[in-house]
Amino acid sequence: MRDCDIKDITLADAGRARIEWADRDMPVLALIRKRFEKERPLEGVRIGACLHVTTETANLMRTLVAGGADVRLCASNPLSTQDDTAAALVRDYGVSVYAICGEDNETYYKHIDTVIDFKPQITMDDGGDVVGRIHEKRREALQNIIGGTEETTTGVIRLAAMAAANELAYPVIAVNDAKTKHFFDNRYGTGQSTLDGVIRLTNRLLAGRTLVVSGYGWCGKGLAMRAKGMGCKVVVCEVDATAALEAYMDGFEVMPREQAAKVADIWITVTGNLNVIDDVCFENMKDGAIICNSGHFNSEINIPWLEEQAIKKTTLKPLVDEYTMPDGRTIILLAEGRLVNLSGAEGHPANVMDMSFANHALCAEYLLDQAKNMQKKVYDVPEAIDEHIAQLKLEALGVHIDTLTPAQVEYMNSWQIGTV
Ligand code: NAI
């Protein structure tokens, strides 16, 4: 059996069944896996992945292994690991996994270090913790690495900051920025799975409730749209004028956070920023307000402030904590402020992760071929890969589209033809 640090290997049967269930809705990745099995483009390549250990990730791991890669996987969040999935990956799919749901911070970083010990040639990150660790504490690992991929907005922002400071030591492809990723995963995936997390944890009726969304980016748009569909009165808080205007014209009420605090029944942050729900919000909140986060890190809610100011903390059920304030009001925090869709539910549906992970698989193949010609920068996913994934997805869905006629191609490339 592969080397690992997981909760319980006897959970593997349940994990395998769920991985196969997810696979049924990941047709693009399945096609890539079939080709990889034949062509073995990743033969002998060591890949160190730090991703949410979910059934969808398992199908990416299977694809990389089918391509010949030797893969080690750790978690990109201490609460998102599905222990049964981890067990099946180790027992049945030839992947070394270092992840246990609920692991403390020390174990979380110990697991990242174990993946780095394996001298990966390609890194796959979700949030930039592996890249950050290698650059800050494990620089000896740099000599083996040819390139990496990054899954999420927050990770891409961190990488861009590293590149701007000339600190980034190898090329990384920003999978998040592929059209076939953020248009679908961030918007529809986060929209649906975040509400799923809130519902599973609270079983509250959403209809008629005021739901505040902080951040009207790709994730926030999907979340607001889905919450509206569930009958919520949706309020948006933003700091960017254009995003705020877009929210307003999409029909949502837009207001500053102090004001939103007074009306929020449920408040969800998806900004990638710090202390978005802060003292000015807590002080104005209604009794019993529910707060949670679906942005990458647990820094969007100022939990230390809440911990310090509250006179009592009661765990009502797992991942549902009630804080009693000195004036008697209660505030309910879900999932310790960590990604509520991955902690409270199962994360994004397989159908959108199909495209996100197809990007990782094809970018790993691309890096092997092209990394020698790339600089220590953050790169977009090559357009040909993005387009190919969109086409495969349409085919899998049985959706057909038009093609440009020769005259249309000529027209689109010319400037002479104006009013006719
Ligand atoms: P984005 O860049 O498209 O949108 C973020 C929005 O938040 C922007 O419009 C920005 O103006 C706004 N914002 C920033 N600071 C704010 C503040 N203090 N108050 C109100 N609004 C503020 O980013 P995207 O793709 O929507 O991602 C947001 C976060 O969600 C990131 O941390 C990302 O990594 C994470 N993410 C989470 C997923 C999940 O499974 N829950 C999936 C994909 C992304």
mmCIF file of all heavy atoms in Angstrom, residues 404-420:
data_model
loop_
_atom_site.group_PDB
_atom_site.id
_atom_site.type_symbol
_atom_site.label_atom_id
_atom_site.label_comp_id
_atom_site.label_asym_id
_atom_site.label_seq_id
_atom_site.Cartn_x
_atom_site.Cartn_y
_atom_site.Cartn_z
ATOM 1 N N LEU A 404 -18.572 29.749 -37.915
ATOM 2 C CA LEU A 404 -18.517 30.938 -38.772
ATOM 3 C C LEU A 404 -18.420 30.522 -40.240
ATOM 4 O O LEU A 404 -17.708 29.565 -40.569
ATOM 5 C CB LEU A 404 -17.285 31.767 -38.414
ATOM 6 C CG LEU A 404 -17.289 32.476 -37.054
ATOM 7 C CD1 LEU A 404 -15.902 33.024 -36.746
ATOM 8 C CD2 LEU A 404 -18.321 33.603 -37.033
ATOM 9 N N THR A 405 -19.131 31.214 -41.108
ATOM 10 C CA THR A 405 -18.968 30.977 -42.556
ATOM 11 C C THR A 405 -17.679 31.679 -42.988
ATOM 12 O O THR A 405 -17.208 32.607 -42.291
ATOM 13 C CB THR A 405 -20.148 31.568 -43.351
ATOM 14 O OG1 THR A 405 -20.115 33.001 -43.169
ATOM 15 C CG2 THR A 405 -21.489 31.013 -42.860
ATOM 16 N N PRO A 406 -17.092 31.294 -44.150
ATOM 17 C CA PRO A 406 -15.886 31.990 -44.628
ATOM 18 C C PRO A 406 -16.116 33.500 -44.752
ATOM 19 O O PRO A 406 -15.259 34.300 -44.389
ATOM 20 C CB PRO A 406 -15.619 31.343 -45.985
ATOM 21 C CG PRO A 406 -16.236 29.979 -45.880
ATOM 22 C CD PRO A 406 -17.443 30.130 -44.995
ATOM 23 N N ALA A 407 -17.312 33.883 -45.213
ATOM 24 C CA ALA A 407 -17.597 35.326 -45.355
ATOM 25 C C ALA A 407 -17.587 36.013 -43.986
ATOM 26 O O ALA A 407 -17.115 37.144 -43.842
ATOM 27 C CB ALA A 407 -18.945 35.515 -46.051
ATOM 28 N N GLN A 408 -18.113 35.339 -42.989
ATOM 29 C CA GLN A 408 -18.130 35.924 -41.629
ATOM 30 C C GLN A 408 -16.710 36.057 -41.071
ATOM 31 O O GLN A 408 -16.377 37.054 -40.435
ATOM 32 C CB GLN A 408 -18.973 35.052 -40.690
ATOM 33 C CG GLN A 408 -20.470 35.189 -40.937
ATOM 34 C CD GLN A 408 -21.291 34.157 -40.162
ATOM 35 O OE1 GLN A 408 -20.796 33.094 -39.790
ATOM 36 N NE2 GLN A 408 -22.554 34.469 -39.941
ATOM 37 N N VAL A 409 -15.876 35.056 -41.354
ATOM 38 C CA VAL A 409 -14.491 35.138 -40.874
ATOM 39 C C VAL A 409 -13.816 36.349 -41.514
ATOM 40 O O VAL A 409 -13.155 37.157 -40.828
ATOM 41 C CB VAL A 409 -13.705 33.842 -41.222
ATOM 42 C CG1 VAL A 409 -12.228 34.003 -40.890
ATOM 43 C CG2 VAL A 409 -14.284 32.648 -40.478
ATOM 44 N N GLU A 410 -14.021 36.489 -42.819
ATOM 45 C CA GLU A 410 -13.397 37.605 -43.531
ATOM 46 C C GLU A 410 -13.900 38.947 -42.969
ATOM 47 O O GLU A 410 -13.139 39.860 -42.706
ATOM 48 C CB GLU A 410 -13.712 37.486 -45.028
ATOM 49 C CG GLU A 410 -12.824 38.375 -45.890
ATOM 50 C CD GLU A 410 -13.275 38.378 -47.337
ATOM 51 O OE1 GLU A 410 -13.873 37.373 -47.781
ATOM 52 O OE2 GLU A 410 -13.036 39.409 -47.994
ATOM 53 N N TYR A 411 -15.215 39.030 -42.753
ATOM 54 C CA TYR A 411 -15.835 40.253 -42.235
ATOM 55 C C TYR A 411 -15.274 40.618 -40.852
ATOM 56 O O TYR A 411 -14.937 41.769 -40.578
ATOM 57 C CB TYR A 411 -17.343 40.032 -42.147
ATOM 58 C CG TYR A 411 -18.114 41.205 -41.597
ATOM 59 C CD1 TYR A 411 -18.331 42.351 -42.367
ATOM 60 C CD2 TYR A 411 -18.629 41.163 -40.298
ATOM 61 C CE1 TYR A 411 -19.043 43.424 -41.849
ATOM 62 C CE2 TYR A 411 -19.344 42.228 -39.775
ATOM 63 C CZ TYR A 411 -19.543 43.359 -40.557
ATOM 64 O OH TYR A 411 -20.238 44.419 -40.054
ATOM 65 N N MET A 412 -15.116 39.621 -40.011
ATOM 66 C CA MET A 412 -14.637 39.868 -38.653
ATOM 67 C C MET A 412 -13.166 40.310 -38.629
ATOM 68 O O MET A 412 -12.699 40.869 -37.647
ATOM 69 C CB MET A 412 -14.775 38.603 -37.778
ATOM 70 C CG MET A 412 -16.201 38.152 -37.551
ATOM 71 S SD MET A 412 -17.253 39.398 -36.821
ATOM 72 C CE MET A 412 -16.768 39.271 -35.109
ATOM 73 N N ASN A 413 -12.462 40.006 -39.728
ATOM 74 C CA ASN A 413 -11.043 40.385 -39.785
ATOM 75 C C ASN A 413 -10.805 41.626 -40.638
ATOM 76 O O ASN A 413 -9.666 41.962 -40.934
ATOM 77 C CB ASN A 413 -10.210 39.217 -40.325
ATOM 78 C CG ASN A 413 -10.127 38.109 -39.302
ATOM 79 O OD1 ASN A 413 -9.859 38.357 -38.131
ATOM 80 N ND2 ASN A 413 -10.408 36.898 -39.709
ATOM 81 N N SER A 414 -11.878 42.271 -41.091
ATOM 82 C CA SER A 414 -11.685 43.418 -41.994
ATOM 83 C C SER A 414 -12.169 44.705 -41.327
ATOM 84 O O SER A 414 -12.847 44.672 -40.301
ATOM 85 C CB SER A 414 -12.469 43.178 -43.285
ATOM 86 O OG SER A 414 -13.852 43.212 -42.988
ATOM 87 N N TRP A 415 -11.821 45.819 -41.924
ATOM 88 C CA TRP A 415 -12.284 47.101 -41.396
ATOM 89 C C TRP A 415 -12.977 47.942 -42.476
ATOM 90 O O TRP A 415 -13.590 48.966 -42.184
ATOM 91 C CB TRP A 415 -11.093 47.888 -40.825
ATOM 92 C CG TRP A 415 -9.964 48.105 -41.810
ATOM 93 C CD1 TRP A 415 -8.911 47.283 -42.011
ATOM 94 C CD2 TRP A 415 -9.818 49.171 -42.738
ATOM 95 N NE1 TRP A 415 -8.089 47.769 -42.998
ATOM 96 C CE2 TRP A 415 -8.622 48.940 -43.449
ATOM 97 C CE3 TRP A 415 -10.565 50.327 -43.030
ATOM 98 C CZ2 TRP A 415 -8.164 49.807 -44.462
ATOM 99 C CZ3 TRP A 415 -10.102 51.187 -44.026
ATOM 100 C CH2 TRP A 415 -8.908 50.921 -44.729
ATOM 101 N N GLN A 416 -12.917 47.470 -43.751
ATOM 102 C CA GLN A 416 -13.426 48.317 -44.836
ATOM 103 C C GLN A 416 -14.954 48.404 -44.860
ATOM 104 O O GLN A 416 -15.518 49.402 -45.275
ATOM 105 C CB GLN A 416 -12.955 47.788 -46.203
ATOM 106 C CG GLN A 416 -11.479 47.967 -46.459
ATOM 107 C CD GLN A 416 -10.688 46.728 -46.013
ATOM 108 O OE1 GLN A 416 -11.187 45.874 -45.297
ATOM 109 N NE2 GLN A 416 -9.427 46.659 -46.437
ATOM 110 N N ILE A 417 -15.628 47.343 -44.414
ATOM 111 C CA ILE A 417 -17.082 47.325 -44.572
ATOM 112 C C ILE A 417 -17.746 48.039 -43.390
ATOM 113 O O ILE A 417 -17.596 47.636 -42.237
ATOM 114 C CB ILE A 417 -17.602 45.875 -44.674
ATOM 115 C CG1 ILE A 417 -16.854 45.125 -45.774
ATOM 116 C CG2 ILE A 417 -19.121 45.859 -44.935
ATOM 117 C CD1 ILE A 417 -17.105 43.629 -45.759
ATOM 118 N N GLY A 418 -18.488 49.119 -43.666
ATOM 119 C CA GLY A 418 -19.195 49.837 -42.612
ATOM 120 C C GLY A 418 -20.685 49.759 -42.877
ATOM 121 O O GLY A 418 -21.217 48.693 -43.146
ATOM 122 N N THR A 419 -21.379 50.939 -42.822
ATOM 123 C CA THR A 419 -22.818 50.955 -43.066
ATOM 124 C C THR A 419 -23.104 50.464 -44.474
ATOM 125 O O THR A 419 -22.458 50.885 -45.413
ATOM 126 C CB THR A 419 -23.334 52.399 -42.930
ATOM 127 O OG1 THR A 419 -22.893 52.903 -41.682
ATOM 128 C CG2 THR A 419 -24.841 52.462 -43.014
ATOM 129 N N VAL A 420 -24.070 49.552 -44.598
ATOM 130 C CA VAL A 420 -24.449 49.098 -45.960
ATOM 131 C C VAL A 420 -25.902 49.451 -46.227
ATOM 132 O O VAL A 420 -26.690 49.601 -45.313
ATOM 133 C CB VAL A 420 -24.222 47.583 -46.135
ATOM 134 C CG1 VAL A 420 -22.743 47.270 -46.281
ATOM 135 C CG2 VAL A 420 -24.818 46.796 -44.973
#
